[in-house]
Amino acid sequence: MLSVFLFGLFLQLITEWFHEFDDAQRNLLLKQILPQFNVPQIHLVSTEMEHHLHAGCPPNCLDSLGWLPCTITSYLLTFLDPVSLGRAAMTCRRWNELASDSSLWKRFCNQPKWRLSRVSEHKQLLSHVQSNGDIDWKSVFAERFKLCNNWLNGKCNVRTFEGHTQGISCLQFDDTRIVSGSSDKTIKVWNIRTNSPWGVQTLAGHSGTVRCLHLDGNRLVSGSTDRSIKVWDLSTQQSWSSIACKVTMVGHLDTVRCLQVDDQKVVSGSYDRCLKVWDIHTGHCTRSLRGHEAAVLCVQFDQDKIVSGSCDKTIKVWSFSGECLMTLKGHHDAVTCLQFDKTRIVSGSLDCNLKFWHIDTGECMNTIDWKASEGHTGVVRCLQADSWRVVSASDDRTIKVWSLETGQRLVTLRNHTDGVTCLQFNDSIIVSGSYDKTVKLWDFGCC
Ligand SMILES: *[C@@H]1O[C@H](CO)[C@@H](O)[C@H](O)[C@H]1NC(C)=O
Ligand SMILES: *[C@@H]1O[C@H](CO)[C@@H](O)[C@H](O)[C@H]1NC(C)=O
């Protein structure tokens, strides 16, 4: 009761005294109160101003951002989406200054929607450091915005790498090169920057289709239908070489279909239903993991576990001691690809579903039937996912980009003249290989 009474009294006093204040005092009063305002009051002020500020006011009086204190304008601008903020920056010099405030753009850059992968962000930020050492977040954001639009609109430059005499079955790329494995039994190492036919290195040694690859600096590990795994040293300069092969691992009884590598070991999966762990230096098999009832098609490992997918429609999680910790059932056909991080496993299957599994419990958390929304008309050969998109490739000659969240198809890319068998992407490019004997690089960052 008392506070209501006091508030009434306060209002009455302010209204009466206000007449006796000069402009400077009134402004001072406003400046004192404004920072206490919340969104509803700011909204009220902005609508009231439209009625009061027409007659006899100084130039720019409608520029609400101009006369409000900086702390308030900065706060107001945080309510704008990137496109509106960009427009505001183009209004006049004062607004441009306000709307170019790096912290506003940093906020956008840190929203999940506008994040890049950790590696890409690191690279991008390094290239936007100003002379004073600060990061120019506005241009960082502009670049991400353009990149995202190019992805959503399928806007890209396509470069074609020709040289294999048979279809491509696997590939990987890093900062400087693309490596591709083919049914012509060779591996080619392409210079990603020049795409010069003279810079291509050809690795010969396998006696069957090169079925899987892992590139790690100068070390390349390959698996083949000839049942062997080979470790190559790419610092060898010869353009046609088998000398580059340092170690050959024999032990699998059928095609080596998938593998992953770190400094110590190779983990491989084979049509012989078995996974093997190898010492990368000696080439000795240190462990065999048995349990899948059909060919092993995909594998990934980290420090403490191995995850594999198989034609037996299951995913298995293994310890390095060789124990099968979990078997995940749910797919209705072969599990062709998978990826896992700290929290979940994403898997793709010939049943055209993507499934998301809880990595600790093995529970299926979500299923996306991504064929339902204008899916592929042929068998899906491969796919890769990141935080917001899935890229898949198919016998129908296309590459498709999907929203990870909704399962909606975002874009279809056409340029290969035969089925697409393998791909890898990062935030700015896709590299794909096809039965049409070519490798293509789809660059979304350049236009
Ligand atoms: C993607 O990979 C290409 C080739 O290595 C590289 O030039 C580019 O910087 C990478 N993009 C990002 C956003 O990391
Ligand atoms: C593939 O892309 C290149 C370069 O943009 C273009 O010249 C060519 O016609 C395309 N080929 C097909 C089959 O779409």
Side-chain angles (χ1 to χ4, degrees):
M1 269 323 271
L2 184 62
S3 68
V4 173
F5 171 73
L6 285 178
F7 184 70
L9 191 62
F10 171 73
L11 266 188
Q12 199 183 341
L13 285 177
I14 283 279
T15 323
E16 277 176 19
W17 286 348
F18 213 74
H19 295 289
E20 308 192 358
F21 292 166
D22 61 17
D23 275 344
Q25 288 170 316
R26 291 179 187 191
N27 288 354
L28 183 67
L29 184 68
L30 254 184
K31 277 199 175 166
Q32 288 285 328
I33 319 179
L34 272 174
Q36 317 298 326
F37 285 4
N38 292 326
V39 183
Q41 289 84 55
I42 287 167
H43 177 73
L44 178 71
V45 169
S46 70
T47 49
E48 285 294 311
M49 267 187 356
E50 299 223 342
H51 306 301
H52 290 295
L53 277 177
H54 285 300
C57 39
N60 261 351
C61 69
L62 283 179
D63 174 8
S64 46
L65 290 185
W67 66 268
L68 287 168
C70 268
T71 43
I72 305 246
T73 49
S74 302
Y75 179 61
L76 282 178
L77 288 175
T78 62
F79 286 91
L80 297 183
D81 62 88
V83 174
S84 314
L85 191 59
R87 287 208 189 107
M90 291 190 289
T91 316
C92 64
R93 195 186 306 161
R94 168 87 175 123
W95 282 37
N96 184 278
E97 265 167 34
L98 292 167
S100 298
D101 180 7
S102 213
S103 66
L104 288 169
W105 299 97
K106 185 177 176 182
R107 263 183 65 250
F108 292 134
C109 289
N110 286 330
Q111 289 170 356
K113 173 166 191 238
W114 299 107
R115 298 299 299 248
L116 303 180
S117 72
R118 208 160 42 89
V119 181
S120 298
E121 286 199 354
H122 183 68
K123 237 193 271 174
Q124 197 203 14
L125 296 189
L126 281 182
S127 67
H128 286 87
V129 178
Q130 296 162 305
S131 48
N132 64 4
D134 290 345
I135 290 166
D136 180 359
W137 286 100
K138 194 178 175 197
S139 64
V140 168
F141 182 81
E143 197 172 284
R144 289 189 195 173
F145 188 79
K146 193 181 81 172
L147 202 53
C148 180
N149 268 348
N150 285 348
W151 273 90
L152 295 181
N153 297 311
K155 216 170 132 199
C156 60
N157 273 348
V158 185
R159 274 159 55 194
T160 303
F161 299 75
E162 289 174 297
H164 278 298
T165 57
Q166 305 249 338
I168 318 288
S169 47
C170 51
L171 59 78
Q172 285 212 326
F173 68 88
D174 66 11
D175 276 344
T176 56
R177 51 200 164 195
I178 299 172
V179 290
S180 55
S182 161
S183 298
D184 69 13
K185 304 174 188 168
T186 70
I187 297 166
K188 284 187 186 285
V189 185
W190 318 79
N191 184 326
I192 206 167
R193 306 219 181 276
T194 63
N195 188 14
S196 140
W198 318 118
V200 185
Q201 193 181 9
T202 303
L203 307 177
H206 279 299
S207 57
T209 296
V210 181
R211 207 58 194 79
C212 49
L213 287 170
H214 188 112
L215 177 63
D216 179 16
N218 270 331
R219 185 195 285 138
L220 174 67
V221 182
S222 59
S224 161
T225 56
D226 70 9
R227 308 174 184 184
S228 75
I229 295 168
K230 285 178 183 289
V231 182
W232 311 80
D233 177 7
L234 296 187
S235 59
T236 319
Q237 285 306 316
Q238 278 93 346
S239 64
W240 181 277
S241 73
S242 47
I243 311 160
C245 178
K246 297 302 173 198
V247 180
T248 299
M249 303 170 181
V250 252
H252 275 303
L253 303 175
D254 205 336
T255 294
V256 181
R257 176 61 178 78
C258 52
L259 53 80
Q260 194 196 329
V261 176
D262 68 11
D263 281 344
Q264 271 88 44
K265 58 190 173 294
V266 177
V267 177
S268 60
S270 161
Y271 285 177
D272 69 8
R273 307 178 177 193
C274 176
L275 290 141
K276 283 182 186 289
V277 183
W278 313 77
D279 182 313
I280 200 165
H281 303 291
T282 63
H284 292 143
C285 175
T286 56
R287 192 144 261 143
S288 293
L289 314 182
R290 293 171 215 279
H292 276 302
E293 288 163 17
V296 181
L297 301 182
C298 48
V299 68
Q300 189 191 334
F301 67 83
D302 64 6
Q303 294 304 330
D304 61 346
K305 60 185 157 311
I306 301 172
V307 182
S308 59
S310 161
C311 277
D312 69 11
K313 307 175 190 173
T314 71
I315 295 166
K316 283 183 185 286
V317 181
W318 313 79
S319 71
F320 272 97
S321 60
E323 192 190 346
C324 177
L325 305 172
M326 266 190 306
T327 300
L328 315 186
K329 294 181 181 164
H331 278 300
H332 302 299
D333 206 335
V335 181
T336 50
C337 47
L338 62 81
Q339 254 176 268
F340 71 87
D341 57 23
K342 287 196 173 59
T343 57
R344 64 182 187 182
I345 303 172
V346 184
S347 60
S349 159
L350 288 185
D351 69 9
C352 295
N353 285 331
L354 272 184
K355 281 185 182 286
F356 299 83
W357 315 78
H358 197 290
I359 196 147
D360 295 323
T361 63
E363 186 191 350
C364 178
M365 302 182 292
N366 192 13
T367 301
I368 294 181
D369 176 355
W370 45 289
K371 195 171 182 180
S373 51
E374 300 177 74
H376 287 290
T377 55
V379 176
V380 174
R381 293 288 167 190
C382 56
L383 53 81
Q384 187 191 333
D386 69 3
S387 61
W388 66 275
R389 76 201 126 189
V390 181
V391 182
S392 61
S394 153
D395 273 3
D396 68 9
R397 307 178 180 185
T398 69
I399 296 172
K400 288 177 192 277
V401 184
W402 311 80
S403 156
L404 190 55
E405 199 186 327
T406 63
Q408 195 188 11
R409 191 207 51 170
L410 301 174
V411 99
T412 299
L413 303 170
R414 293 170 217 274
N415 199 277
H416 278 297
T417 55
D418 205 340
V420 187
T421 55
C422 50
L423 68 83
Q424 188 187 341
F425 73 88
N426 69 9
D427 283 298
S428 54
I429 66 172
I430 301 175
V431 180
S432 60
S434 159
Y435 292 126
D436 70 11
K437 306 172 191 167
T438 70
V439 171
K440 288 183 190 276
L441 189 158
W442 315 69
D443 188 348
F444 296 86
C446 67
C447 39

